[in-house]
Amino acid sequence: MDETRPNLADPAVLDALAHPVRLDVLGFLMSSGPATASECARAVGDTPSNCSYHVRVLARHGLVEAVGSSDGRTRPWRATITGFTNEVDPEDQAGADAMLAASLELDHHLAREHLRTRDTLPEAWREIEVHAQYGLVVTPAELRDIAAQLDAVIRPYVASTRLDAPEEAGHVHLGVTAFPRPRFDR
C-alpha cells in the first residue's frame, strides 16, 4: 500500500481515536492488512463484539473500510491510512491531548503485557528487546530535528508500507515519546 498519512485534526476523529482499543485495532489493521472483527479481537485481546463496535466507529470516520470477502459470510475490514499526524488548531488541542493519553495508555498496556509474556517468545526476540531512556539537553529545534531523523530511520520498516520484509521478520511495537522536563532546569 502506498503511504497515506493524513493530518487528523477533525475533533470528531480525534475523539474517536481517544480510545486505546480503537488505536490498537487501527494499528493492527494498518500493519496486518484486512481482518474481521473476530481476528482483530484475537490480535488486541478484546471481545469480537467490542471490536466490531470499535471498527464501525473507525469506519464512520473513514479510517477503515469494509472489503469484500471470499465466502460472503465474513466481513473483513482494512485500514484506509498507513499512519497519521495530528497537528491541530489550539482550540482543538483537548481532542489531540485525549488521543495522546489513549496512545500512552496503550503503550504502557503493551509494555506490561510484553513483560508478562516475554518468556514465551523465541530467544532471539527476548535478547533484542529494547527499553532506553535518555535525559537530553536540547533546544526545541534540536528536538524537532531528532524526531525527524528517527522518523527517517524508522519509516522504511513501517509494516503497512514495507514490501521487502524478510520471512523471519515479526511485528514490533515501537513507541517514542519526548517532552520537556521544566522542573529539571536550573
Side-chain angles (χ1 to χ4, degrees):
M1 171 184 246
D2 289 336
E3 186 172 49
T4 306
R5 293 181 56 84
N7 181 47
L8 302 180
D10 180 333
V13 174
L14 295 174
D15 185 53
L17 289 175
H19 195 289
V21 173
R22 281 188 211 127
L23 286 172
D24 208 9
V25 167
L26 180 59
F28 173 67
L29 291 173
M30 285 190 300
S31 66
S32 295
T36 64
S38 292
E39 291 166 330
C40 290
R42 282 190 294 279
V44 304
D46 205 356
T47 66
S49 61
N50 200 37
C51 278
S52 179
Y53 167 76
H54 289 304
V55 167
R56 288 191 314 273
V57 170
L58 294 169
R60 276 198 302 270
H61 297 287
L63 302 171
V64 303
E65 64 186 8
V67 293
S69 86
S70 58
D71 64 11
R73 293 179 294 135
T74 59
R75 186 170 186 185
W77 299 86
R78 74 169 193 92
T80 59
I81 61 175
T82 58
F84 59 89
T85 60
N86 67 321
E87 297 171 20
V88 299
D89 292 328
E91 64 269 9
D92 295 327
Q93 191 60 49
D97 289 349
M99 186 188 68
L100 177 59
S103 179
L104 290 170
E105 182 181 333
L106 176 60
D107 284 348
H108 292 153
H109 167 76
L110 294 173
R112 285 189 306 273
E113 184 66 15
H114 169 71
L115 287 173
R116 190 179 70 73
T117 61
R118 73 179 173 198
D119 61 332
T120 65
L121 295 173
E123 187 174 338
W125 285 108
R126 287 193 315 269
E127 290 175 349
I128 195 58
E129 67 183 34
V130 177
H131 176 78
Q133 293 179 325
Y134 308 93
L136 307 179
V137 177
V138 297
T139 67
E142 290 171 327
L143 183 55
R144 188 175 294 110
D145 185 51
I146 290 167
Q149 289 181 51
L150 286 171
D151 187 69
V153 168
I154 294 165
R155 181 125 353 221
Y157 302 98
V158 171
S160 57
T161 56
R162 185 172 187 194
L163 302 175
D164 64 345
E167 190 172 311
E168 67 274 10
H171 287 267
V172 171
H173 178 81
L174 174 65
V176 178
T177 41
F179 46 86
R181 299 284 309 267
R183 290 186 292 210
F184 277 32
D185 293 338
R186 294 186 178 155

